[in-house]
Amino acid sequence: MSNNLTVKVFAPASVANVAVGYDILGFALMGLGDDVIIRKGKVEGLTIKTIHKGRSLSKDPLKNTAGVSAIRLLQSLGLEREPLEMEIYKNMSIGTGLGSSAASAVAGALAVNAYFGNPYSKMQLLQYATEGEQVADGAFHADNVAPSMLGSMILVRDNKTLDCIKLPVPNGLRVVVVYPHIQILTKDSRRVLSPNVSLKQHTQQSANLGAFVASLYKTDFPLMQRCLNDLIIEPQRAKLIPGFMDIKRLGLDAGALGCSISGAGPSIFCLCNNSHIAENIHELWSNYYTDKKQLFDCFISDINKEGAYVY
Amino acid sequence: MSNNLTVKVFAPASVANVAVGYDILGFALMGLGDDVIIRKGKVEGLTIKTIHKGRSLSKDPLKNTAGVSAIRLLQSLGLEREPLEMEIYKNMSIGTGLGSSAASAVAGALAVNAYFGNPYSKMQLLQYATEGEQVADGAFHADNVAPSMLGSMILVRDNKTLDCIKLPVPNGLRVVVVYPHIQILTKDSRRVLSPNVSLKQHTQQSANLGAFVASLYKTDFPLMQRCLNDLIIEPQRAKLIPGFMDIKRLGLDAGALGCSISGAGPSIFCLCNNSHIAENIHELWSNYYTDKKQLFDCFISDINKEGAYVY
């Protein structure tokens, strides 16, 4: 099955949690993401030849999310001895809360799959990509991996069995993301979370998730605005991100449908139902962190409906 | 605005919680429900003349859910002094877990509204009907009232503001209900519930609710079957209902999409995607309680898409 093909794959960044779906909801972004190239190697097994712009990452395939996802897939195909060479382009910083490690894991699995003639569907590849992502994250969950692979807004009904539902994305929905250049340690981001929630909070928050799903099917933006409200996770994590409450207030006052922390942070996202509002928020957020002399990146994106692709 | 009209209203029974939406999800049943008649009275204000088949209920309008909902509506219209006479037909037992008090509350408000020429929409009447239901239940929540009023499957995004979403009901969806004639005190049914849930349970259970909403929009019965699973409330309440685990096992083994407690019980319901399965479960459940010498009612219903109506 070995060949002389060179396969290039792009896998997008993603926003997980999305205010109402801690660990179970995420959507893919446009433009930002990682590339992985797979070609025939010179020695047995998978070698990571180069990681562009990702100096802190290991070139040991077993310590790299793209490497692990590729190897797990190769094992499942019985091809782990095939000589393969991987190149990774980390086009996004590490620790942004925008699914960088998940994007690499997705690209690794999809590239190997394409190299061997696509034996698996994208849905089947989720297993290997999620195993890859686990190297970085510790937990086995697909709220970044699944949207990066499949595109769109994904509800992970069950992380164990990767029961993923692709939800519809209304036309006109736009995202603004701001990434303040600060570091949040994942363990801090986890440690601040109480292991329990009140039954009342659970009830209210699941109603918000259920209503958010309905708002996507109905293209009901006013409903989306009423339910995009995190009663549980965001209040506990907000203090880890300097300026979060100001940024959120600026976004909501300017007409965002909702604004919350992307994944474990520090990136912050908002959803808007038109470009004018999105551009306004982009300017407000940029001015805010500029005034505070805080380095940042800020961009506007559509929700990526395609997910990872071979090019 | 006084007239000589006689208005008759029917409001259906309902199943609340529906396994995945404690306090926020419910659907209306066919056939079973309460009737309320409103006509001109002989003295100032609202009088309850007769309650048929509801001997334990108070004829004091302020202690009766139909009376309270009617009076609150009359107050809002400035018509609380109009001479009105109410007759209530309680066609369902009290304390079944099938929304009996909610059906009366809905019928009371809808009948008065019709009597005065329909000044309010059904959605606006929810407020008064929920205030009526509160007399019986103590809490202000609309998971029985809203489906009884509006029909279909209703997600109550927020009980405080009665932000209700009418979800689509796939064709072919059938319900089997069994009501074992035992008494569960609402206070017991509340007392067994822990005030907290783990973050993990919250996450899994809200994913099930989100997926259930998606399954209704997609008409995806296999997905509905995977998510109709109550991890939080049912395990705590099951012990209050003799035979619950046997009944549930019989239903699921026979192909039900899901089976759980209706409201606070003791009624048990299951959802099925065809009549053959529903009829089979009806027989199995009937035989079960017959063998146990437990009095019961068992019936098959469609989901009522219309809700309460004037006839």
Side-chain angles (χ1 to χ4, degrees):
Chain A
M1 290 179 75
S2 157
N3 59 43
N4 288 310
L5 201 64
T6 293
V7 170
K8 297 181 184 183
V9 160
F10 171 78
S14 52
V15 170
N17 296 359
V18 199
V20 291
Y22 173 67
D23 270 1
I24 53 173
L25 191 66
F27 62 81
L29 293 166
M30 299 293 285
L32 193 66
D34 291 346
D35 297 88
V36 163
I37 298 174
I38 288 283
R39 61 173 77 84
K40 191 172 175 174
K42 296 182 182 92
V43 295
E44 191 179 283
L46 177 75
T47 315
I48 298 180
K49 190 185 164 202
T50 324
I51 304 177
H52 303 273
K53 295 181 271 179
R55 287 191 189 181
S56 64
L57 297 176
S58 173
K59 284 166 77 178
D60 177 348
L62 292 174
K63 295 180 177 166
N64 180 296
T65 65
V68 170
S69 70
I71 285 172
R72 295 291 165 83
L73 172 58
L74 288 164
Q75 288 168 338
S76 126
L77 295 168
L79 295 170
E80 63 270 34
R81 294 188 168 184
E82 284 288 313
L84 288 179
E85 197 172 272
M86 179 183 275
E87 250 182 284
I88 304 171
Y89 288 81
K90 292 297 301 178
N91 302 314
M92 43 195 306
S93 309
I94 317 289
T96 58
L98 294 170
S100 169
S101 57
S104 291
V106 165
L110 191 62
V112 167
N113 191 57
Y115 184 84
F116 289 109
N118 297 309
Y120 288 131
S121 70
K122 276 184 160 187
M123 199 60 99
Q124 291 171 313
L125 290 176
L126 281 183
Q127 175 67 32
Y128 310 104
T130 311
E131 289 176 15
E133 150 85 329
Q134 197 177 5
V135 172
D137 194 65
F140 186 82
H141 55 74
D143 53 343
N144 285 110
V145 162
S148 179
M149 180 73 85
L150 306 169
S152 196
M153 179 84 68
I154 302 288
L155 176 67
V156 187
R157 191 200 64 80
D158 182 48
N159 273 298
K160 217 176 290 177
T161 56
L162 297 176
D163 188 1
C164 293
I165 304 155
K166 195 167 181 170
L167 300 170
V169 172
N171 286 331
L173 201 59
R174 307 215 76 194
V175 191
V176 191
V177 174
V178 65
Y179 161 50
H181 295 193
I182 59 158
Q183 201 187 4
I184 295 183
L185 295 175
T186 305
K187 61 177 185 181
D188 286 339
S189 179
R190 290 255 164 87
R191 196 168 45 195
V192 296
L193 297 182
S194 162
N196 290 306
V197 305
S198 73
L199 182 56
K200 192 175 169 191
Q201 281 180 317
H202 159 67
T203 301
Q204 292 180 333
Q205 191 64 30
S206 27
N208 280 335
L209 175 63
F212 180 70
V213 171
S215 77
L216 294 172
Y217 281 97
K218 288 157 64 94
T219 308
D220 184 338
F221 292 122
L223 174 60
M224 193 180 293
Q225 193 161 35
R226 294 198 300 279
C227 59
L228 269 178
N229 189 15
D230 183 353
L231 306 166
I232 295 174
I233 304 300
E234 183 190 300
Q236 302 182 74
R237 283 183 169 170
K239 57 179 174 280
L240 299 175
I241 305 169
F244 174 77
M245 291 313 297
D246 293 336
I247 287 287
K248 179 169 177 169
R249 181 48 45 213
L250 286 169
L252 294 182
D253 286 352
L257 300 170
C259 178
S260 191
I261 303 165
S262 176
S267 290
I268 302 163
F269 78 97
C270 71
L271 290 174
C272 309
N273 66 352
N274 76 58
S275 293
H276 178 71
I277 293 173
E279 281 156 23
N280 190 16
I281 291 172
H282 179 272
E283 196 181 327
L284 290 164
W285 284 3
S286 300
N287 291 343
Y288 177 84
Y289 279 129
T290 303
D291 288 352
K292 298 278 182 197
K293 302 194 189 334
Q294 169 66 57
L295 290 178
F296 70 95
D297 296 302
C298 191
F299 60 93
I300 298 175
S301 172
D302 285 340
I303 292 182
N304 179 337
K305 296 184 185 178
E306 186 187 6
Y309 59 87
V310 180
Y311 63 95
Chain B
M1 291 179 79
S2 156
N3 59 44
N4 288 311
L5 201 65
T6 293
V7 170
K8 297 182 185 184
V9 161
F10 172 77
S14 52
V15 170
N17 297 359
V18 200
V20 291
Y22 173 67
D23 270 1
I24 53 173
L25 191 65
F27 61 81
L29 293 166
M30 298 294 285
L32 193 66
D34 290 347
D35 297 88
V36 163
I37 298 174
I38 288 283
R39 61 174 78 83
K40 192 173 175 174
K42 294 180 184 95
V43 297
E44 192 180 283
L46 178 75
T47 315
I48 297 180
K49 190 187 164 200
T50 325
I51 305 177
H52 303 272
K53 295 183 272 180
R55 286 187 190 184
S56 66
L57 296 177
S58 173
K59 283 165 77 176
D60 177 348
L62 293 174
K63 293 180 178 167
N64 179 295
T65 65
V68 171
S69 70
I71 285 172
R72 295 291 167 83
L73 171 57
L74 288 164
Q75 287 169 338
S76 125
L77 294 168
L79 295 169
E80 61 272 32
R81 295 188 169 184
E82 284 288 315
L84 288 178
E85 197 173 272
M86 179 183 276
E87 251 183 281
I88 305 172
Y89 288 80
K90 291 299 301 178
N91 303 315
M92 42 194 307
S93 310
I94 317 288
T96 57
L98 294 170
S100 169
S101 58
S104 291
V106 165
L110 191 62
V112 167
N113 191 59
Y115 184 84
F116 289 109
N118 298 307
Y120 287 131
S121 70
K122 275 185 160 186
M123 198 60 100
Q124 290 171 315
L125 290 176
L126 281 182
Q127 175 67 32
Y128 310 104
T130 311
E131 288 176 17
E133 150 86 329
Q134 196 175 5
V135 172
D137 194 64
F140 186 82
H141 54 73
D143 52 344
N144 284 110
V145 162
S148 179
M149 181 72 85
L150 306 168
S152 196
M153 178 82 69
I154 302 287
L155 176 67
V156 187
R157 191 200 64 78
D158 182 47
N159 272 298
K160 216 175 291 175
T161 57
L162 297 176
D163 188 1
C164 293
I165 304 155
K166 196 166 181 171
L167 300 171
V169 172
N171 287 332
L173 202 58
R174 307 216 77 194
V175 192
V176 190
V177 174
V178 65
Y179 161 49
H181 295 193
I182 59 158
Q183 201 186 6
I184 295 184
L185 295 175
T186 305
K187 62 176 184 181
D188 286 340
S189 178
R190 289 258 164 87
R191 197 169 43 197
V192 296
L193 297 182
S194 163
N196 290 307
V197 305
S198 71
L199 182 57
K200 193 176 166 187
Q201 280 179 318
H202 159 67
T203 302
Q204 292 179 332
Q205 191 64 26
S206 22
N208 279 336
L209 175 62
F212 180 69
V213 171
S215 76
L216 293 172
Y217 281 97
K218 289 157 63 95
T219 307
D220 185 338
F221 292 122
L223 174 59
M224 193 180 292
Q225 192 162 35
R226 295 197 299 280
C227 60
L228 268 179
N229 188 14
D230 183 354
L231 306 166
I232 294 174
I233 304 300
E234 182 190 298
Q236 301 182 75
R237 283 184 168 169
K239 57 179 174 284
L240 299 175
I241 305 169
F244 174 78
M245 291 313 297
D246 292 337
I247 287 287
K248 179 169 177 168
R249 180 48 47 214
L250 286 169
L252 294 182
D253 286 352
L257 299 170
C259 178
S260 191
I261 303 166
S262 176
S267 291
I268 303 164
F269 77 97
C270 71
L271 290 173
C272 310
N273 65 352
N274 75 59
S275 293
H276 178 72
I277 293 173
E279 281 156 23
N280 190 17
I281 292 173
H282 179 272
E283 195 181 329
L284 290 164
W285 284 3
S286 300
N287 290 343
Y288 177 84
Y289 278 129
T290 304
D291 288 351
K292 298 278 180 196
K293 303 195 191 325
Q294 168 66 57
L295 289 177
F296 69 95
D297 295 303
C298 191
F299 60 92
I300 299 176
S301 171
D302 285 340
I303 292 182
N304 179 336
K305 296 184 185 179
E306 187 188 5
Y309 58 86
V310 181
Y311 63 96

